[in-house]
Amino acid sequence: MVPEIHLLPEVHKWWPHLSARSKQRLEEQDDGVVPDDVREEIERIIGEAVDPSAQLSDGDRTFIRTRQEMVD
């Protein structure tokens, strides 16, 4: 049986409000894993619990990369 993969809520809802430190940590994640403290910050932003195993989707990683390129 394949384990279920949980994804984060819509990236547009929380990315603009995320702290610079958390944004940098997600930019450095190649495997989609979200550090616990970043996940907890996302929970505070959106006002709901996020599964502890939630990961960045491919679309989330693309969105984050494009935001990073805009700053460069």
Side-chain angles (χ1 to χ4, degrees):
M1 186 170 154
V2 178
E4 183 178 354
I5 297 175
H6 297 274
L7 299 176
L8 291 172
E10 175 62 45
V11 68
H12 298 93
K13 292 181 180 178
W14 50 265
W15 180 262
H17 309 287
L18 206 58
S19 67
R21 180 180 177 276
S22 291
K23 286 180 178 180
Q24 180 178 1
R25 293 191 67 203
L26 289 180
E27 289 165 356
E28 295 169 352
Q29 293 299 110
D30 292 331
D31 56 5
V33 173
V34 179
D36 288 339
D37 59 323
V38 176
R39 180 183 45 79
E40 291 166 1
E41 185 177 347
I42 293 169
E43 289 177 334
R44 286 191 299 275
I45 290 168
I46 64 170
E48 60 185 67
V50 175
D51 191 284
S53 66
Q55 297 183 12
L56 293 167
S57 69
D58 290 340
D60 292 343
R61 289 196 292 272
T62 299
F63 176 87
I64 290 168
R65 271 195 307 277
T66 61
R67 294 302 160 270
Q68 184 179 19
E69 290 168 4
M70 291 173 64
V71 175
D72 289 347

